[in-house]
Amino acid sequence: STWGLESQTGAMALATKDTEQFSTHLVCAGHARGVTYICYVTEDGYSAENGLKSALAADCSGADMSCGPFILSASVDGRPMVRDGVTGDWIGTFEGHKGAVWCIRKAARAPLVATASADFSVKLWSFDSGLEVRTLPHEHVVKGVDVTSDGGRVATGGLKKLLKVFDTTTGAETLSNGDGLTAGIRMVRWVGDQTVLCAGGDRGIRLFDVRTSGPAVRVLASPGPVSSLEFSHDGTLLTAASESSALVFSAATFEPVVTLSMAAQIESVALDPSNKRIVAAGRDFRVYRYDLESPAAPVVVHSGHHGPAHTVAWSPDGAVYASGADDGTVRLWRTDIHTEYGLWRRPVASATGDAQVGQ
């Protein structure tokens, strides 16, 4: 591998008091500034954030977890990273951006990663080597990016208020459409290979047909600006965060399924693989977990971040969910604190009396 190697701090265990229970969580240090986006990718090629299959590193083989799941993280420090999704240990860093990185996404069936940056560019990277493949220049800050399943095209959006599509092989821009957009774009997501969802500072989530430069073919309602947009693990549901609301839509019809009123203003929401639980990143530094069958109040409220939480993602096996925040850390939280998983073993007493991860 030609990934840039350097000294990195691995995951460490810290004790934190949650609502109604104590839970030890893992802190993954390494980013020098706030974490803006995280997503999971697993060894069998399942991209947990969009329900699609993907091929991972070329040297992945065997039945162990050495090739996944992975956590991809973007940060204001301009150095997107790859981590082991079970232990949180650092694997590699994509080196090359000269500004904050707002989003990182991977192609579904190709070893191609795309990053959106404040340096007015989207960069394409080889997931096998970590090397830059191509730079796609933009006229303004780029905040959202997504890649088609075959890695052939990327969709981008940002402060220019334009949805753009590029051919990844040639770098040619094939679409630039700002019809109906009055505010910056924060998130873009491919729906198949002919339509793209985009959302941001405007109310509503817009679905565009990228074969033409016309207005959105559909607008999904939201109470305010939209700060996150993700598909469920099985691809049947679409989630969005808007102010203090978590929105869940059918991915087949885009009709609303449920709207949850959260305990705080939120930045991001994610569903577990069963689609029965949802986790939210709070601007009040907390991470909230709800049961969709009784969503009146959070089941667990996690404290630990030292800044607003911006992004959350649930692991493909449902055992862990991750959060990223302004404090520069990715934190891993167990769904069931009594289950051994990764670095989590039976708790042992430390010298201070706090619960620590046993080895």
Side-chain angles (χ1 to χ4, degrees), residues 107-110 112 147-153 168 193:
R109 297 192 301 272
L112 183 70
V147 194
T148 53
S149 61
D150 63 359
R153 289 182 295 169
T168 61
D193 59 3

Side-chain angles (χ1 to χ4, degrees), residues 31 33-38 73-76 310-311 324-326 328-330:
H31 283 298
R33 298 185 66 187
V35 177
T36 55
Y37 183 78
I38 54 178
S73 62
S75 171
V76 181
H310 296 304
T311 177
D326 230 24
T329 65
V330 173

Side-chain angles (χ1 to χ4, degrees), residues 21-222:
Q21 62 184 325
F22 282 93
S23 172
T24 302
H25 68 278
L26 296 183
V27 180
C28 307
H31 283 298
R33 298 185 66 187
V35 177
T36 55
Y37 183 78
I38 54 178
C39 63
Y40 275 91
V41 179
T42 68
E43 67 171 334
D44 68 354
Y46 185 88
S47 176
E49 295 303 314
N50 62 16
L52 300 174
K53 295 288 181 179
S54 63
L56 296 182
D59 61 351
C60 286
S61 62
D64 62 21
M65 297 302 290
S66 61
C67 291
F70 299 101
I71 298 173
L72 307 183
S73 62
S75 171
V76 181
D77 65 10
R79 305 174 71 243
M81 295 182 179
V82 181
R83 292 185 175 275
D84 185 300
V86 175
T87 66
D89 289 335
W90 174 86
I91 294 174
T93 300
F94 298 101
E95 301 279 3
H97 277 296
K98 294 179 172 59
V101 175
W102 295 106
C103 189
I104 179 169
R105 298 287 293 176
K106 186 189 173 298
R109 297 192 301 272
L112 183 70
V113 171
T115 50
S117 177
D119 64 8
F120 291 24
S121 78
V122 165
K123 288 185 181 291
L124 306 179
W125 313 82
S126 165
F127 193 68
D128 293 344
S129 67
L131 296 177
E132 182 180 333
V133 175
R134 183 181 298 278
T135 296
L136 304 174
H138 285 64
E139 301 89 355
H140 210 319
V141 171
V142 191
K143 288 206 164 185
V145 67
D146 199 21
V147 194
T148 53
S149 61
D150 63 359
R153 289 182 295 169
V154 294
T156 72
L159 299 189
K160 190 68 174 176
K161 308 172 190 176
L162 293 172
L163 170 64
K164 292 179 177 285
V165 175
F166 294 83
D167 184 298
T168 61
T169 302
T170 64
E173 180 181 305
T174 61
L175 177 77
S176 180
N177 186 5
D179 200 322
L181 299 173
T182 63
I185 299 170
R186 183 165 175 173
M187 305 295 290
V188 295
R189 290 290 176 269
W190 283 98
V191 183
D193 59 3
Q194 297 179 346
T195 52
V196 173
L197 289 164
C198 73
D202 286 316
R203 286 178 182 266
I205 302 162
R206 286 164 171 77
L207 179 67
F208 286 95
D209 185 331
V210 297
R211 294 170 295 183
T212 63
S213 293
V217 296
R218 185 159 183 180
V219 180
L220 286 62
S222 71

